[in-house]
Amino acid sequence: MTATIHHLERERAPSLEPLMALVASDMNQVNSVILDRMQSEIPLIPELAGHLIAGGGKRMRPMLTLASAKLIGYEGERHFKLAAAVEFIHTATLLHDDVVDGSDLRRGKTAANLVFGNPATVLVGDFLFSRAFELMVEDGSLKVLKILSSASAIIAEGEVNQLTAQRKIDTSEDRYLDIIGSKTAALFAAASRISAVVAERDEETELALDAFGRNLGIAFQLVDDVIDYSSNSATMGKDTGDDFREGKVTLPVILAYARGSDEERAFWKDAIIGHKTSAEDLEHATALLRSTGAIDDTITRARHYGQRAVDALGTFPSGTARAAMTEAVEFAISRAY
Amino acid sequence: MTATIHHLERERAPSLEPLMALVASDMNQVNSVILDRMQSEIPLIPELAGHLIAGGGKRMRPMLTLASAKLIGYEGERHFKLAAAVEFIHTATLLHDDVVDGSDLRRGKTAANLVFGNPATVLVGDFLFSRAFELMVEDGSLKVLKILSSASAIIAEGEVNQLTAQRKIDTSEDRYLDIIGSKTAALFAAASRISAVVAERDEETELALDAFGRNLGIAFQLVDDVIDYSSNSATMGKDTGDDFREGKVTLPVILAYARGSDEERAFWKDAIIGHKTSAEDLEHATALLRSTGAIDDTITRARHYGQRAVDALGTFPSGTARAAMTEAVEFAISRAY
């Protein structure tokens, strides 16, 4: 099986490199805004924020803002601040997620809440979130503010929805898609869309970029869900089996449960309410995910959304930007292999 | 001793009633925005938010927005949404504070995090915070957005600063005033100021209302610090002695420590690092706060800021609004008795 999306052909494995090269110079500008605006007279704030921000995430979301700007030929500089705002919103949600999930690792490092405690982690998240809005206000576009404040509310709703679904084996695929559409894809969509706003392009352009980001976000999350059952903490930068132990009902589990025998369903019910947390249980779960085709079909679903992301770019001129964005989608899916 | 501020004379004890009566009809509008905008398709969100919002806070901050609007004769309706946004920001910080402090009671009810858990409490705080920005964006004033996004960042900085000062007996009065100026007074100031912005009054008017709110906020917090050593959970709606047990170095403690004998200082050092948490210890602490005059002088400091708040209103026409706002300041201080 290969991760290549059908109508594209390439010799080498898909990579994020072309996208990173496309935006490298602009990303320096964004990084300098990030470093500048995470400062505070209260030393713990840059220290804690820096733990995560300097911790070397891919900066996927600001990359989408920058790449979208390249795609539509935007020549200005307003999107640097806005891309930083997007990354601050994302960082704030990661910090709060660490408190919510109690995960041990984040980006291969000890999670911020375990180093600095839950209280400081919550509050620095709030600080970064406020700073994100200050950056947007400085830019001055009410339309961007509307897109990103709405995305932020939707992210929080998605997170609460996920929390409510936790340990509920009867979560439906529809509900799960709602959850990841909110908690992950909404910010991917907004990050891509805002470039069209600052570039003053038409509504269709905005919506196409929104669709690109949204579908990529869903594909990205589905692949993350697969990786949580197949990676190890060294390559992934987070714990394998976290979702399993936390009773998170992700798409692989939903499919394996739907397709399982009575005995297998009994296992999943027990596991998801927290009665199966050993390494052997995780191994058994992973075996079931493979034998039922749940892993393969989650990847197939991811590929479906990836293809929609690629097709959303169809009306844009072909060239370096579009090729890099397309390959980024393929790369996102290839991580599952 | 009476709480009356010197140049004002009144037979009865100061009350919040005149302020509440002044804004009662407008507050109905604000409450309906609050109830409408805390809704979500995810049932846990209105449930958790309602626990605190319907829990009957005084709505002090939106009252300031509404009263300031009356004071300057604003006839429009834009401030209803903005007052709701202010209350959402405040509610979000209270929810996050409950997680940060681990307090048992809030407004006389079990704290939200103990009913719904820390994860949901953090996330619903994030949701309300995002909703606050959505409301501001709907209003469309970039100036209001700037004032409130900046206040939000300052609040978070103040909270982190307080966290860093926790269990540090050598916290100075200056640092403490910085902390409460950020964590409490910044939102009082912003809440009062934004009415002048929507009413399109001049900069001086904005700054006068800002000064009114800021000084009232400091007075309010100082009195809260006193109450934490002298009230009981039935009248106050939160636990007495919380600050003491959590090792929060508030102004009463700073003064008692500065004025204490070697033996008394040794007690405070032990207490603030967490080695004195019994009911007897709290009683001893309260006795020291009284014998050193720390309680009385914290109230005197509060009265100083209260007087500055009242004087900040000096250039506004006298009338019902100004009288009600003045009495609200006196009321805030009278709570210490």
Side-chain angles (χ1 to χ4, degrees):
Chain A
M1 197 171 345
T2 83
T4 309
I5 284 180
H6 290 293
H7 70 283
L8 287 161
E9 286 172 27
R10 186 179 299 113
E11 292 301 312
R12 57 185 170 75
S15 159
L16 204 56
E17 287 299 330
L19 189 70
M20 291 166 69
L22 176 75
V23 302
S25 147
D26 290 351
M27 190 59 85
N28 287 336
Q29 305 285 327
V30 175
N31 283 335
S32 93
V33 177
I34 287 174
L35 286 174
D36 182 43
R37 303 308 286 273
M38 67 186 235
Q39 295 310 313
S40 160
E41 285 175 18
I42 316 301
L44 179 58
I45 291 177
E47 199 185 332
L48 195 157
H51 176 82
L52 188 56
I53 288 174
K58 292 180 296 299
R59 305 240 200 284
M60 195 67 202
R61 293 153 192 81
M63 270 205 281
L64 294 179
T65 305
L66 298 177
S68 298
K70 292 273 186 204
L71 181 72
I72 60 179
Y74 174 62
E75 304 273 347
E77 303 200 333
R78 285 175 54 193
H79 60 324
F80 298 150
K81 263 188 191 171
L82 296 176
V86 165
E87 185 69 2
F88 277 171
I89 290 173
H90 175 57
T91 309
T93 64
L94 288 186
L95 290 173
H96 288 181
D97 275 357
D98 283 343
V99 171
V100 166
D101 289 344
S103 191
D104 293 337
L105 286 178
R106 167 78 67 191
R107 293 177 180 168
K109 296 176 72 173
T110 306
N113 58 319
L114 295 183
V115 180
F116 300 96
N118 280 344
T121 305
V122 169
L123 296 174
V124 173
D126 291 350
F127 173 79
L128 291 176
F129 198 60
S130 302
R131 269 287 148 89
F133 278 91
E134 288 191 289
L135 283 164
M136 290 180 244
V137 169
E138 283 172 29
D139 173 69
S141 163
L142 278 167
K143 198 164 175 183
V144 168
L145 274 156
K146 185 181 158 91
I147 290 168
L148 282 170
S149 61
S150 162
S152 298
I154 288 168
I155 292 168
E157 279 184 310
E159 301 262 9
V160 177
N161 197 3
Q162 177 164 62
L163 197 65
T164 316
Q166 203 164 0
R167 306 214 175 276
K168 291 205 177 127
I169 189 63
D170 59 348
T171 305
S172 69
E173 177 166 353
D174 280 342
R175 178 168 182 189
Y176 185 67
L177 288 172
D178 272 354
I179 289 171
I180 67 176
S182 300
K183 76 160 193 164
T184 308
L187 193 55
F188 274 67
S192 307
R193 177 176 198 157
I194 56 178
S195 284
V197 177
V198 295
E200 297 177 11
R201 297 295 186 270
D202 60 14
E203 178 87 358
E204 283 66 35
T205 305
E206 273 185 48
L207 291 177
L209 288 171
D210 186 285
F212 168 77
R214 186 173 310 276
N215 284 293
L216 171 58
I218 294 173
F220 197 90
Q221 183 62 54
L222 290 175
V223 172
D224 267 2
D225 295 343
V226 166
I227 293 174
D228 200 76
Y229 282 94
S230 55
S231 174
N232 59 59
S233 56
T235 59
M236 171 76 176
K238 59 175 230 177
D239 295 345
T240 309
D242 269 354
D243 291 348
F244 182 70
R245 281 184 295 270
E246 290 164 15
K248 280 193 184 160
V249 181
T250 58
L251 187 56
V253 175
I254 292 169
L255 297 180
Y257 181 75
R259 298 167 181 188
S261 66
D262 287 353
E263 194 191 337
E264 288 169 8
R265 287 193 190 177
F267 169 82
W268 285 115
K269 277 185 190 165
D270 266 14
I272 290 302
I273 59 174
H275 294 163
K276 305 269 181 197
T277 56
S278 71
E280 292 72 39
D281 293 327
L282 176 59
E283 217 169 294
H284 182 57
T286 307
L288 292 181
L289 293 176
R290 299 218 169 269
S291 65
T292 56
I295 291 284
D296 282 349
D297 286 356
T298 298
I299 297 170
T300 304
R301 301 278 210 285
R303 201 177 287 119
H304 160 85
Y305 292 101
Q307 187 63 59
R308 285 176 60 173
V310 169
D311 286 328
L313 299 182
T315 55
F316 293 99
S318 55
T320 326
R322 189 172 144 191
M325 290 166 84
T326 301
E327 190 172 342
V329 175
E330 297 172 54
F331 166 76
I333 291 160
S334 73
R335 296 176 310 141
Y337 296 93
Chain B
M1 201 173 341
T2 83
T4 309
I5 284 178
H6 290 291
H7 71 282
L8 286 161
E9 287 173 25
R10 187 179 298 111
E11 292 300 312
R12 58 186 171 71
S15 159
L16 204 56
E17 287 299 330
L19 189 71
M20 290 166 69
L22 176 76
V23 303
S25 147
D26 289 352
M27 190 58 85
N28 287 337
Q29 304 286 326
V30 175
N31 282 335
S32 92
V33 177
I34 287 174
L35 286 174
D36 182 44
R37 303 309 287 272
M38 68 186 236
Q39 295 310 313
S40 161
E41 284 175 19
I42 316 302
L44 179 57
I45 290 177
E47 198 185 334
L48 196 157
H51 176 82
L52 188 56
I53 288 174
K58 291 181 295 298
R59 305 243 201 283
M60 195 67 203
R61 293 151 191 81
M63 270 205 281
L64 294 179
T65 306
L66 298 177
S68 298
K70 292 274 186 203
L71 181 73
I72 61 180
Y74 174 62
E75 304 273 347
E77 302 199 334
R78 285 174 55 193
H79 59 324
F80 298 151
K81 263 188 191 170
L82 296 175
V86 165
E87 186 68 3
F88 277 170
I89 291 173
H90 175 57
T91 308
T93 64
L94 288 187
L95 290 173
H96 288 181
D97 274 358
D98 282 343
V99 171
V100 166
D101 289 344
S103 190
D104 293 337
L105 286 177
R106 166 76 69 189
R107 293 178 180 168
K109 297 176 71 173
T110 306
N113 59 318
L114 295 183
V115 180
F116 301 96
N118 280 344
T121 305
V122 169
L123 296 174
V124 173
D126 290 351
F127 173 80
L128 291 176
F129 198 61
S130 303
R131 270 287 148 89
F133 278 91
E134 288 192 290
L135 283 164
M136 289 181 245
V137 169
E138 283 173 29
D139 174 70
S141 163
L142 278 167
K143 198 164 176 183
V144 168
L145 274 156
K146 185 181 159 90
I147 290 168
L148 282 169
S149 61
S150 163
S152 298
I154 288 168
I155 291 168
E157 279 183 309
E159 300 263 9
V160 177
N161 197 2
Q162 178 165 62
L163 197 66
T164 316
Q166 204 165 359
R167 306 214 175 276
K168 292 206 175 123
I169 190 63
D170 58 349
T171 304
S172 68
E173 177 165 353
D174 280 343
R175 179 168 182 188
Y176 186 68
L177 288 172
D178 273 354
I179 289 172
I180 67 175
S182 300
K183 75 160 194 165
T184 308
L187 193 54
F188 274 68
S192 308
R193 178 176 197 157
I194 55 178
S195 283
V197 176
V198 294
E200 296 176 11
R201 298 295 187 268
D202 60 14
E203 177 88 358
E204 282 67 34
T205 305
E206 273 185 49
L207 292 178
L209 288 172
D210 187 286
F212 168 76
R214 186 173 310 276
N215 284 293
L216 171 58
I218 294 174
F220 198 89
Q221 184 62 56
L222 290 175
V223 172
D224 267 1
D225 294 343
V226 166
I227 292 173
D228 201 75
Y229 282 95
S230 56
S231 174
N232 59 59
S233 57
T235 58
M236 171 77 176
K238 60 174 230 178
D239 296 344
T240 310
D242 269 354
D243 291 349
F244 182 70
R245 281 183 295 270
E246 290 164 15
K248 280 194 184 158
V249 181
T250 58
L251 187 57
V253 174
I254 292 169
L255 296 180
Y257 182 74
R259 297 166 181 189
S261 65
D262 287 353
E263 194 190 337
E264 288 169 8
R265 288 194 188 177
F267 168 82
W268 285 114
K269 276 185 189 165
D270 265 14
I272 289 304
I273 60 174
H275 293 163
K276 304 268 181 198
T277 56
S278 72
E280 291 72 39
D281 292 327
L282 176 59
E283 215 170 296
H284 183 58
T286 307
L288 291 181
L289 293 176
R290 298 219 169 268
S291 66
T292 56
I295 291 284
D296 282 349
D297 286 356
T298 298
I299 297 172
T300 304
R301 300 278 210 283
R303 201 176 288 121
H304 160 84
Y305 291 102
Q307 186 64 57
R308 286 176 59 174
V310 169
D311 286 328
L313 300 183
T315 55
F316 293 99
S318 55
T320 325
R322 189 171 145 190
M325 291 167 82
T326 301
E327 190 171 343
V329 175
E330 297 171 54
F331 166 77
I333 292 161
S334 74
R335 296 176 310 140
Y337 294 95

